[in-house]
Amino acid sequence: MRQSELFTKTRRETPKDEVSKNAELLIRGGFIHKEMAGVYAYLPLGLRVLEKIKNIVREEMNKIGGEEIIMTTLQRKELWEVTDRWSDEKVDVWFKSSLKSGAEVGFGWSHEEPITEMMKNFIGSYKDLPVYVYQFQTKLRNELRAKSGIMRGREFVMKDMYSYTTDEESHKKFYDSVVEAYHRIFERVGLGEKTFLTYASGGAFTDFSHEFQTVLPTGEDTIYLSREKKVAINKEVLQGGVLEKLGLKKSDLEEVAASEVGNIFSFGGAKSEALGLFFKDESGKSLPVTLGSYGIGITRLMGVVVEALSDEKGIVWPESIAPFRVHILSLGEKLKAKAQEVYNKLNEVGIEALYDDRDISAGEKFNDADLLGLPVRVVVGEKHEGKLEVKNRKTGEEKLETVESLVHSLK
Ligand code: ATP
Ligand code: MG
């Protein structure tokens, strides 16, 4: 894409009302627009990142048998009353409204209830199980504080998956495959080394559920990490005394700030029992379906990547989720034809490039390139006898290349 055609512009100054680094950088780069605290729109560059993250997650969810759906935002009060999750005392993040008829509705903040209710139409026998469904859906939550940019939205995109299985054994097998898939996802978006499986309280079958926490100084959570064992526990578990069970010693754990990028939870048969989702086993006996719920904060993940990997000059996108892989900068009118040739060549071979063809100074182009954080910067300038200056945004490493050698090394 030509940068002159992007309607968004970069900004030098920090937005006044923004205290989080992720939103500051993303707003300055024109990736997102702030509508109000905790509510952000995704602009062309930001949307490309979001879609890339979603596609990685989608691939991994499909790999373990997930089927994609989209449930509704509007929720029926009556359904959530069945499981006692409608009242503000039980769930303090509901946004609620009412229909013209007077009926109360809520805006979905999670979807266990409606999906489980819907599954009554499709699940009746052990032959109908297992079922694994997931969605990318915009959740609405009336969060008390929204000061962490897109890491805590009042409106945010979540991937939520739900598993319906016959028993504990088949549930656990799937649960473990989700743990593996989540590790692959965090690895693929560039957070593998910083993200730890973390024991949290709650959940059926065991005394804990799991979170995936990315170590981050600006994270809202505190976790206790064993780098050696590559696991962590959260505060609830530290206080709850599950340590012994996990074979961890308090003295071996490091207290660090982190951000929860994923959460997985076993409901056992409780939720299905409450909502009336039963199946007949091989002997004809009626049993509640076992439910598991598996979330990833897609937009939070994007914010965490920005916070965790940026430097003093701007964002540093991992190649896997960068809006474009290459940033071509042409320095001066005379070099436009040459830059265009590089751009065309990369397009021809399917390498995504953003071409800065704007009539602004070289300095401004360099600053913007650092801020936008595309992995490879290619400068078409007058120096180096027509060779291209190719710089790695992350390492700062520079090389001279011809168009052919550039294409070759990028492929
Ligand atoms: P937190 O403890 O951070 O409030 P949670 O435990 O309420 O999150 P879940 O209901 O388990 O979150 O949601 C699944 C995932 O969605 C979380 O692991 C997190 O990555 C993401 N998430 C939750 N709340 C928000 C939010 N307000 N903004 C962005 N992402 C969120
Ligand atoms: Mg949580």
Side-chain angles (χ1 to χ4, degrees), residues 160-336:
D160 39 330
M161 177 180 245
Y162 303 88
S163 68
Y164 295 87
T165 49
T166 52
D167 55 14
E168 181 175 342
E169 196 191 335
S170 49
H171 168 74
K172 278 198 167 143
K173 220 168 127 192
F174 183 72
Y175 190 96
D176 290 343
S177 75
V178 176
V179 171
E180 292 312 311
Y182 274 29
H183 279 305
R184 288 195 297 272
I185 289 165
F186 300 125
E187 182 70 40
R188 288 179 66 183
V189 302
L191 296 175
E193 274 171 29
K194 291 177 189 259
T195 304
F196 296 88
L197 183 68
T198 303
Y199 290 81
S201 68
F205 310 126
T206 45
D207 293 333
F208 38 75
S209 62
H210 290 100
E211 293 169 348
F212 287 78
Q213 293 272 3
T214 305
V215 173
L216 188 69
T218 50
E220 292 183 9
D221 292 0
T222 303
I223 59 166
Y224 300 86
L225 174 64
S226 161
R227 289 197 192 264
E228 190 200 322
K229 295 197 167 141
K230 284 187 178 299
V231 294
I233 59 175
N234 76 5
K235 253 186 196 151
E236 310 152 355
V237 173
L238 185 74
Q239 283 146 13
V242 187
L243 275 181
E244 302 71 39
K245 259 191 203 163
L246 300 172
L248 296 168
K249 278 209 292 279
K250 221 173 190 166
S251 53
D252 297 341
L253 301 173
E254 186 187 332
E255 184 182 301
V256 290
S259 178
E260 181 194 313
V261 287
N263 192 348
I264 63 182
F265 200 91
S266 301
F267 282 91
K271 181 89 52 193
S272 300
E273 209 161 344
L275 289 162
L277 177 63
F278 294 92
F279 73 101
K280 289 214 159 37
D281 72 3
E282 282 173 75
S283 66
K285 201 164 108 205
S286 191
L287 295 166
V289 178
T290 300
L291 170 65
S293 158
Y294 316 85
I296 289 185
I298 299 292
T299 41
R300 176 178 293 180
L301 192 54
M302 176 169 162
V304 169
V305 168
V306 172
E307 299 255 341
L309 307 180
S310 62
D311 60 20
E312 66 289 343
K313 293 186 199 142
I315 301 171
V316 181
W317 293 114
E319 207 167 285
S320 58
I321 61 169
F324 295 90
R325 202 170 152 204
V326 180
H327 204 166
I328 303 166
L329 318 189
S330 68
L331 304 188
E333 194 57 37
K334 274 189 281 174
L335 291 149
K336 278 203 168 161

Side-chain angles (χ1 to χ4, degrees), residues 16-33:
K16 278 189 206 72
D17 57 341
E18 195 57 70
V19 290
S20 76
K21 180 162 86 168
N22 69 83
E24 182 206 321
L25 289 171
L26 289 167
I27 291 170
R28 284 182 48 216
F31 292 86
I32 61 172
H33 162 74

